[in-house]
C-alpha cells in the first residue's frame, strides 16, 4: 500500500479478513490512528502464517494501534521505520509495552538467532538493527522509532531469554539524567560488548561512573561486565 489515506481500523479490518496472509507491508502512507472500522478492540487478530511485517514512513500513533491488535507468532522479518506526523502527545511507555512489546517474543528469537545487533540511541530517536549483512529476508528486524526513552524496554528484552552470547553494540549520541536510570539497568547485561558515547564530557563522566564502582562502593559490581 503506498500513498493512500487510510485508518488503522481499516487496516485491522483488512488483516482480520486475511488470516492466511504471509507478508504485509505499508510504505509512505497517511494512516490515521482512528480505530473506526476495526473488527475488534478486545482480542488480537490472529495471523499465524505471517512471516514478514514492514511498516515504513507511517505515523507512530497509527502504528501503535495496528501492532497492539495483531498476533503474528511466526513472524521472521520485522521492519519498523515510523515518524511523528502530528503534534498529539505520545505515550512512549504505552507504545513500547503494549504495541511494540507485543512482539517481544519474536524480537528475542531473532536476537538469539544472530551473533550481534546494533543499537543507536540518538536525540529523540531509537534505532535497533539485527540482520545479516547480505540476506535481508531471513530472521531479522530493523526498528526506527521517534522515542529516546527506550532503554528500559531494551534492558527488559535482553534480560528475558536472549542468548547471553549475543553481542550488542550501543552508540549514544548523548547521555542525560533522564535516560541514566535506563542505562543503569542496561549496564547489568553481559550482552553489551561495545559502547560508544559521543558529545561531551558530562556524558563521558556518567558512563565512566557506570563502568566501575567508586571507592566507597567496593562491593558493587562493575557496569557493563561484558564490555570489550
Amino acid at each position: 500500500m503506498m500513498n493512500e489515506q487510510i485508518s488503522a481500523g481499516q487496516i485491522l479490518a483488512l488483516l482480520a479478513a486475511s488470516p492466511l496472509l504471509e507478508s504485509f507491508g505499508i510504505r509512505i502512507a497517511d494512516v490515521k490512528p482512528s480505530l473506526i472500522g476495526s473488527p475488534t478492540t478486545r482480542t488480537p487478530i490472529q495471523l499465524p502464517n505471517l512471516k514478514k511485517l514492514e511498516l515504513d514512513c507511517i505515523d507512530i500513533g497509527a502504528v501503535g494501534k495496528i501492532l497492539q491488535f495483531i498476533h503474528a507468532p511466526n513472524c521472521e522479518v520485522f521492519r519498523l521505520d515510523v515518524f511523528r506526523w502530528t503534534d498529539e502527545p505520545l505515550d512512549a511507555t504505552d507504545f513500547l509495552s503494549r504495541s511494540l512489546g507485543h512482539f517481544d517474543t519474536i524480537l528475542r528469537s531473532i536476537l538469539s538467532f544472530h551473533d550481534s545487533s546494533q543499537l543507536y540511541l540518538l536525540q529523540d530517536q531509537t534505532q535497533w538493527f539485527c540482520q545479516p549483512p547480505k540476506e535481508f529476508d531471513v530472521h531479522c528486524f530493523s526498528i526506527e522509532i521517534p522515542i529516546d526513552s527506550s532503554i528500559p524496554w531494551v534492558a527488559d528484552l535482553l534480560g528475558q531469554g536472549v542468548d547471553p552470547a549475543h553481542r550488542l553494540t550501543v552508540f549514544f549520541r548523548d547521555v542525560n539524567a533522564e535516560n541514566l536510570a535506563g542505562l543503569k539497568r542496561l549496564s547489568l547485561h553481559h550482552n553489551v560488548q561495545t559502547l560508544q558515547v559521543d558529545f561531551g564530557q558530562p556524558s563521558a563522566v556518567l558512563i565512566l561512573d557506570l563502568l566501575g564502582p567508586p571507592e566507597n562502593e567496593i562491593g558493587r559490581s562493575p557496569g557493563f561486565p561484558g564490555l570489550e
Side-chain angles (χ1 to χ4, degrees), residues 4-39:
E4 296 290 337
Q5 185 172 353
I6 192 172
S7 72
Q10 291 172 305
I11 292 174
L12 289 172
L14 175 64
L15 292 173
S18 312
L20 301 181
L21 197 65
E22 296 183 2
S23 177
F24 183 74
I26 307 176
R27 182 173 181 268
I28 316 178
D30 183 10
V31 182
K32 304 301 182 184
S34 171
L35 285 174
I36 295 176
S38 172

Side-chain angles (χ1 to χ4, degrees), residues 51-123:
K51 298 293 185 183
K52 181 190 294 187
L53 178 61
E54 298 176 298
L55 302 175
D56 184 14
C57 295
I58 306 169
D59 179 66
I60 189 171
V63 169
K65 293 290 194 302
I66 295 169
L67 296 182
Q68 185 175 339
F69 294 111
I70 62 176
H71 181 55
N74 298 309
C75 184
E76 296 179 353
V77 177
F78 183 82
R79 293 200 180 97
L80 207 61
D81 186 358
V82 298
F83 299 89
R84 293 193 65 176
W85 283 12
T86 69
D87 294 329
E88 295 183 9
L90 171 66
D91 188 335
T93 300
D94 183 76
F95 179 84
L96 292 169
S97 62
R98 298 185 60 194
S99 301
L100 190 54
H102 208 183
F103 288 79
D104 279 359
T105 300
I106 292 169
L107 299 180
R108 290 190 192 101
S109 176
I110 294 174
L111 285 168
S112 295
F113 186 84
H114 293 286
D115 294 331
S116 63
S117 61
Q118 300 77 45
L119 176 67
Y120 296 83
L121 301 169
L122 311 176
Q123 184 176 8

Side-chain angles (χ1 to χ4, degrees), residues 126-148:
T126 295
Q127 301 174 358
W128 198 357
F129 306 107
C130 184
Q131 54 195 21
K134 295 182 179 180
E135 299 180 42
F136 295 104
D137 291 327
V138 179
H139 289 91
C140 62
F141 71 72
S142 172
I143 298 172
E144 299 180 66
I145 52 178
I147 294 176
D148 63 357

Side-chain angles (χ1 to χ4, degrees), residues 109-208:
S109 176
I110 294 174
L111 285 168
S112 295
F113 186 84
H114 293 286
D115 294 331
S116 63
S117 61
Q118 300 77 45
L119 176 67
Y120 296 83
L121 301 169
L122 311 176
Q123 184 176 8
D124 300 325
Q125 181 84 3
T126 295
Q127 301 174 358
W128 198 357
F129 306 107
C130 184
Q131 54 195 21
K134 295 182 179 180
E135 299 180 42
F136 295 104
D137 291 327
V138 179
H139 289 91
C140 62
F141 71 72
S142 172
I143 298 172
E144 299 180 66
I145 52 178
I147 294 176
D148 63 357
S149 56
S150 61
I151 307 175
W153 168 71
V154 172
D156 288 342
L157 194 66
L158 289 173
Q160 300 182 34
V162 174
D163 189 340
H166 180 86
R167 302 188 305 276
L168 177 65
T169 296
V170 182
F171 173 84
F172 288 96
R173 179 58 59 86
D174 199 359
V175 179
N176 54 45
E178 183 177 351
N179 58 31
L180 183 60
L183 268 177
K184 289 179 178 178
R185 294 173 61 178
L186 189 62
S187 71
L188 301 176
H189 294 283
H190 286 77
N191 302 89
V192 181
Q193 295 195 0
T194 302
L195 185 66
Q196 182 176 344
V197 184
D198 198 3
F199 283 151
Q201 182 178 356
S203 296
V205 171
L206 291 173
I207 292 296
L208 288 173

